[in-house]
Amino acid sequence: MLTPSILLQAYQLMITAKSMSETYDANRAVCKYVHSTSRGHEAIQLAAGFQLLPTDWVSPYYRDDSLLLAIGFTPYEMMLQLLAKKEDPFSGGRSYYCHPSSKDETRPSIIHQSSATGMQAIPTTGLAQGVQYLEKNYTAKLRKSADGKSPVVLCSLGDGSMSEGEVSEALQFAVLKQLPIIYLVQDNQWSISASSDEIRTMNAYEYACGFKGLKRMQCDGSDFMRCFETMEQAVNYARNERKPVLVHAKVPLLGHHTSGVRKEFYRSREDLLKHGLYDPIPKLRLLLNGVGFTDAEINQVETSALDLVLEHFKKAQAAGEPDIRSVEEHIFAPTEVREERGERSPKKGERIMMVDAALHAIDELMEEYPEAVLYGQDVGGRLGGVFREAATLAEKYGDSRVFNTAIQEAYIIGSTVGLSAMGMKPIVEIQFGDYIYPGLNQLVTEVAKSCYLSNGKFPVQMLLRVPVGAYGGGGPYHSGSIESTLLSIKGIKIVYPSNAADMKGLMKAAFLDPNPVVMLEHKGLYWSKVPGTDDARATEPSKDYILPLGRANIILPADIDKVRKGETVCVITYGMGVYWAKAAAERYPGCIEIIDLRTLFPLDEETIFTAVKRHGKVLVLSEEQQNNSFAEALSLRISNDCYHFLDAKVEVMGAKNLPAVPINVALETAMLPTATKVAERISKLLAY
């Protein structure tokens, strides 16, 4: 309910935000890092923030410093981030101004926020997905307010971001599942230098009409009273009805786009004057006069706000700089899985295929962890995955825990950020490696950076399963190898098992790891149907078997006498390469040692370098196209570390450098390594 005291508090915070903006602009040499402020947006942001409870979640965007003031953050806390100081409570000096993250229980929680326009919509919708799941299935994990109110999620966006496809994916999922989320869209009619009439035919309110089940509201975002009433209704609707709502607020842009893209660069005098007519501060001052506050009282509020800002700015300038030795902290959260445990080959164990090892591992995990969910394209009850890798799981655990999604790779990947923050353990699937690319934006921008840029507060615990590799006529869009692309992303871990025992042990470890792990699963090894891959079947490990990430395995040792005589070659490989190498090794009994990497990151360099130094001759074998690949990068690392132990240059073998895998099986074979091609390369190495 709107009261005079709330009006006065709003005015005090408006003046605070305005003073912050003016202080930054007057001290450009000090405020050297790029930043945006909420100047002109203050009314709607404050009105939104005032509705939120400490048990709620909010995702501000990069212009939302008034929203942060409304939920209880001080100018000093925000200025520490502005100046990239050590005590910056959000990122420890790693991210831009107004890119918050917070787990403070006295305020609404905030997951890591990035600069990429609109990208917060999916992770934040993932939060609402998590709230709904916990509310219906696992209430012990759901934090409610002292008076029993259920949490809501607020996602703040600029209108320009509504053209992003990923915003559409988020809205689609929110209305499909009827999630308790508010999308607040602030429309200042500019997207940097592009005006609204250049880039859209409709605003967010009109656009939202196409999403059946999404309640729509709009207001004058410069009128605090109207904003408060609108946001109160919107939040109450989401909190009580547990359904999504979008609020469109038209606001003036009175500041710069950013400190680096200043308003005078691209806006006319007429446009600036027009926006100035809608400044929310004079409007609210008139309202304060109307409800009985004197000019003297209002002036005192202004003076106090300015004094506070200057005091906090001075204090923030004097704060300490980050210790450069901390630069490598919080890339990953520590994992407790450090040792191999459980029985790898029980005496009475059944020999199973890789696809069944994965299925059994997930079944056991979901049975033990009620916070585990599995979703992706076609993993639900009717099919159980196109490779039957999720067969029976939906029937056993129900549609709330195992379910299909739309063809939305970005949502599948990015939503895990929100679910993980809610304490859930998502397992998600992309149907084929060739189709992961629409999800890379979320994987790179949100998932991989969350732990580092939140200063360790929000590691993303998620397991992403991706079938990869050629398997006999799969064709150009179902046969790709993507490990080098993924390995260029810092902040994720990548495993690549080559047999059923490793599949089960690595999947358990990946699930228990508090960081994002991508499991690449070779389709040609799933059922061991490709000739020469029967060894991908293995005795099923025990239920408690866990294989830590980052442990390579010597799957074929060389004869010790031949090693002493310098008559051996070390083949370093993974996935299908293991079976090409094993077939090739049959031609050279005792001369070949094969290292199965099993995990591509973290990489077991100790085992690799020790083996290379033992043999002096090495072949790095991969299914990927060779140029600029992980295999080539590894060969250089080996050369640099083992140079004095090498008898020949490090050899690399990968697929031919073609844009795609041809569907014709003869052309496919011509492109890929084979056992015969590997044997020929080994023969050359043995000749040294």
Side-chain angles (χ1 to χ4, degrees), residues 191-365:
S191 293
I192 310 184
S193 68
S195 61
S196 57
D197 58 349
E198 291 179 85
I199 61 170
R200 71 187 192 202
T201 60
M202 65 189 81
N203 64 34
Y205 179 82
E206 295 160 333
Y207 177 68
C209 184
F211 294 90
K212 185 179 180 180
L214 179 63
K215 184 178 179 64
R216 299 180 301 147
M217 305 177 74
Q218 60 182 340
C219 65
D220 177 353
S222 67
D223 184 328
F224 178 76
M225 187 167 69
R226 297 288 173 254
C227 291
F228 189 93
E229 292 170 348
T230 302
M231 291 309 303
E232 185 177 43
Q233 292 173 28
V235 171
N236 285 341
Y237 176 81
R239 197 180 303 283
N240 298 323
E241 299 297 325
R242 316 306 288 158
K243 294 179 180 180
V245 55
L246 181 141
V247 177
H248 171 256
K250 188 175 180 180
V251 295
L253 178 60
L254 303 182
H256 308 290
H257 170 68
T258 68
S259 55
V261 183
R262 300 179 66 78
K263 57 189 177 183
E264 58 267 22
F265 292 175
Y266 62 95
R267 296 175 67 185
S268 67
R269 182 173 178 274
E270 290 74 20
D271 178 73
L272 292 170
L273 289 172
K274 178 182 176 182
H275 279 245
L277 295 174
Y278 295 92
D279 188 336
I281 293 177
K283 287 186 175 185
L284 185 52
R285 180 166 183 136
L286 285 173
L287 185 57
L288 288 174
N289 287 143
V291 297
F293 289 101
T294 66
D295 285 338
E297 289 173 317
I298 298 171
N299 291 340
Q300 181 56 47
V301 167
E302 293 183 356
T303 301
S304 297
L306 178 57
D307 289 345
L308 178 72
V309 168
L310 294 178
E311 175 191 343
H312 283 202
F313 187 64
K314 183 178 180 180
K315 184 180 176 183
Q317 285 180 267
E321 298 292 326
D323 186 339
I324 60 171
R325 292 172 295 184
S326 70
V327 70
E328 292 185 280
E329 294 177 359
H330 303 304
I331 300 171
F332 294 108
T335 178
E336 295 181 2
V337 180
R338 299 184 180 278
E339 300 297 331
E340 186 172 3
R341 61 178 185 261
E343 285 190 84
R344 181 178 174 89
S345 301
K347 290 182 180 179
K348 295 184 179 180
E350 180 184 352
R351 194 164 178 260
I352 62 170
M353 298 181 293
M354 280 185 68
V355 71
D356 289 331
L359 174 64
H360 296 172
I362 292 180
D363 186 10
E364 292 165 3
L365 288 166

